[in-house]
Amino acid sequence: MSILTAMKKNLMIPEKYKQLTRKELECRVKEVKNKFGSKLFIPGHHYQKDEVIQFADATGDSLKLAQLAAKNKEADYIVFCGVHFMAETADILTSDAQKVILPDMRAGCSMADMADEQQTDIAWEKLTEIFGETILPLTYINSTAAIKSFVGENGGAIVTSSNAHTMLKWAFKKKERILFLPDQHLGRNTAVDLGIDLDEMAVWNPITNKLEYDGDVSKIKIILWKGHCSVHMGFTVQNVMDTRSQFPDRKIIVHPECRHEVVKLADMAGSTSYIIKTIENSEPGSSWAIGTEMNLVNRIIQNHPDKNIVSLNPQMCSCMTMNRIDLPHLVWSLDTLEDNSTHNLIKVDAEIAENAKLALERMLVNS
Ligand code: 13P
Ligand code: SF4
């Protein structure tokens, strides 16, 4: 949601929250948490700022946070410290009585915005004309509820970076080819790991509505939506080469949202949880260059003073939309629980939620 839309809808934070000191804000969060106890659940994604993550009841990657939302029957309020698609997922997986709140409605995800309903309908129609009934859609969890719903309706499922291999194998048991939305890089990296050749992969361009592929289309096994994460696109082959030449002992670990050329040259690739666990289990004194979002990299650095850890790209910054959630916004949303005004409520339309839930459940039973 843009700043302008948020202003029009009166969803901008009142000025008074910006005047409070950090100590005042922290005291207020503690007060509300104590008052609500287990009736309030605050999940926090690994990319959230420290000032927010310190108050999370649980931290995790997208898969873990979806699993926790599905399990939580106790909380009346789920104040989601993450981005919009994560809060939508939590709303779909919880009961109608449970309220999901996003502290700042502008905390979107540029990748999720790269596939909309209209574009997907056009793509599906054109691809079905070419390939008939042979395609199953899969969508990365980083997508809108409407895209999840489209996927659910057409027999497909949701994928996260933690279970992409499992879900892609699951999908290939059902159909000959897969349409993978909206992150071409996670799709390509996972497919390569499963032994699919790059020349068996096509790219669907949602701007030109064209299939980008040279050759015999009957060879195509996976159609990658032309979307990407602007944060992970910031890691380049040059970054890998610089690290290799200047620090040959440094191991390189990256997120699979990075482009294939980078993942191929790295030592390891995996989800945020995989990266955290790998560093935790590594030897004291070991040396690492990490290719993922900067709030997480800085936290890993702080948690492992005995290891030599840097970002793979020395110029890398945090995910701007994850950073929208800060202490003032957290306090503002917690205050609304007390007066029951609960704005910033995330409520997915019931019709959309029904099929989106089908797609999410197909993932959850397989993860
Ligand atoms: P994971 O936490 O699933 O690795 O996803 C990373 C991400 O980009 C979330 O927006
Ligand atoms: Fe979206 Fe990338 Fe930010 Fe994750 S890191 S929320 S994929 S823009």
Side-chain angles (χ1 to χ4, degrees):
M1 184 182 285
S2 71
I3 295 180
L4 226 77
T5 322
M7 278 167 79
K8 271 191 211 144
K9 293 190 171 179
N10 207 14
L11 295 173
M12 295 294 279
I13 188 168
E15 209 40 49
K16 64 173 185 185
Y17 290 99
K18 296 184 191 159
Q19 315 302 333
L20 297 172
T21 63
R22 177 150 181 164
K23 202 159 177 231
E24 286 168 328
L25 291 162
E26 289 180 341
C27 283
R28 184 69 189 129
V29 180
K30 285 180 197 154
E31 222 173 272
V32 180
K33 277 180 71 113
N34 281 338
K35 179 171 173 197
F36 281 85
S38 59
K39 294 287 165 204
L40 166 65
F41 179 53
I42 307 183
H45 187 267
H46 292 309
Y47 291 166
Q48 289 285 292
K49 291 176 174 181
D50 285 345
E51 66 184 53
V52 165
I53 215 83
Q54 63 172 324
F55 293 114
D57 295 309
T59 58
D61 64 3
S62 308
L63 177 63
K64 183 173 166 196
L65 297 179
Q67 288 167 331
L68 289 174
K71 259 195 255 162
N72 191 314
K73 307 284 173 232
E74 210 181 343
D76 292 336
Y77 301 104
I78 295 166
V79 176
F80 211 110
C81 293
V83 287
H84 195 269
F85 72 81
M86 296 177 180
E88 277 189 334
T89 302
D91 178 54
I92 294 164
L93 293 172
T94 49
S95 75
D96 284 349
Q98 291 174 293
K99 289 181 173 164
V100 177
I101 292 145
L102 185 65
D104 187 342
M105 291 302 249
R106 299 167 307 161
C109 163
S110 54
M111 179 203 285
D113 292 339
M114 287 177 194
D116 70 26
E117 239 180 311
Q118 211 189 349
Q119 291 170 325
T120 311
D121 285 344
I122 296 172
W124 192 243
E125 199 186 309
K126 296 211 174 194
L127 291 171
T128 314
E129 266 169 31
I130 307 173
F131 299 108
E133 301 275 297
T134 63
I135 322 166
L136 190 83
L138 284 183
T139 186
Y140 191 18
I141 198 162
N142 299 29
S143 53
T144 64
I147 300 305
K148 291 185 176 79
S149 175
F150 156 82
V151 167
E153 194 182 345
N154 289 287
I158 310 301
V159 165
T160 77
S161 47
S162 278
N163 61 22
H165 294 84
T166 311
M167 292 312 297
L168 201 55
K169 281 190 212 155
W170 171 89
F172 275 121
K173 282 191 197 136
K174 305 212 169 293
K175 292 271 172 104
E176 210 176 305
R177 19 186 95 76
I178 308 303
L179 168 63
F180 193 99
L181 298 113
D183 184 16
Q184 59 169 312
H185 303 293
L186 178 66
R188 187 175 292 111
N189 289 321
T190 313
V192 166
D193 287 348
L194 295 191
I196 297 172
D197 279 351
L198 289 172
D199 64 8
E200 294 171 318
M201 302 183 202
V203 171
W204 177 262
N205 185 330
I207 307 298
T208 59
N209 290 322
K210 291 223 161 70
L211 193 63
E212 296 179 354
Y213 186 75
D214 289 329
D216 173 4
V217 292
S218 66
K219 276 177 105 185
I220 296 172
K221 291 198 176 140
I222 183 156
I223 302 147
L224 305 165
W225 192 269
K226 201 169 189 171
H228 63 264
C229 164
S230 37
V231 174
H232 289 91
M233 287 294 277
F235 298 102
T236 62
V237 168
Q238 193 59 49
N239 295 146
V240 176
M241 283 164 33
D242 291 346
T243 302
R244 296 282 188 227
S245 65
Q246 291 165 33
F247 310 98
D249 292 341
R250 209 167 257 179
K251 285 238 178 334
I252 299 177
I253 184 165
V254 299
H255 195 280
E257 285 174 19
C258 293
R259 66 187 96 212
H260 181 59
E261 294 74 9
V262 171
V263 170
K264 198 168 66 178
L265 293 173
D267 297 298
M268 298 162 211
S271 68
T272 51
S273 301
Y274 172 84
I275 294 174
I276 294 168
K277 274 187 215 131
T278 306
I279 307 283
E280 265 170 19
N281 295 333
S282 67
E283 292 295 316
S286 57
S287 188
W288 294 90
I290 306 182
T292 196
E293 197 270 351
M294 221 39 227
N295 286 331
L296 175 58
V297 174
N298 282 332
R299 191 168 306 122
I300 296 176
I301 293 172
Q302 274 167 30
N303 290 343
H304 298 278
D306 58 331
K307 293 165 195 169
N308 173 15
I309 305 166
V310 294
S311 170
L312 177 59
N313 176 352
Q315 315 300 331
M316 184 46 60
C317 32
S318 315
C319 171
M320 268 168 53
T321 49
M322 283 276 178
N323 270 4
R324 294 268 191 209
I325 314 293
D326 55 12
L327 254 184
H329 280 88
L330 179 60
V331 171
W332 177 40
S333 55
L334 293 177
D335 274 353
T336 69
L337 309 186
E338 297 229 284
D339 59 22
N340 216 15
S341 61
T342 49
H343 48 254
N344 291 7
L345 207 60
I346 300 293
K347 194 82 216 125
V348 177
D349 175 84
E351 231 174 278
I352 292 178
E354 196 183 323
N355 282 322
K357 192 169 183 183
L358 267 181
L360 280 161
E361 283 172 350
R362 288 183 192 127
M363 171 188 82
L364 291 172
V365 295
N366 283 290
S367 302

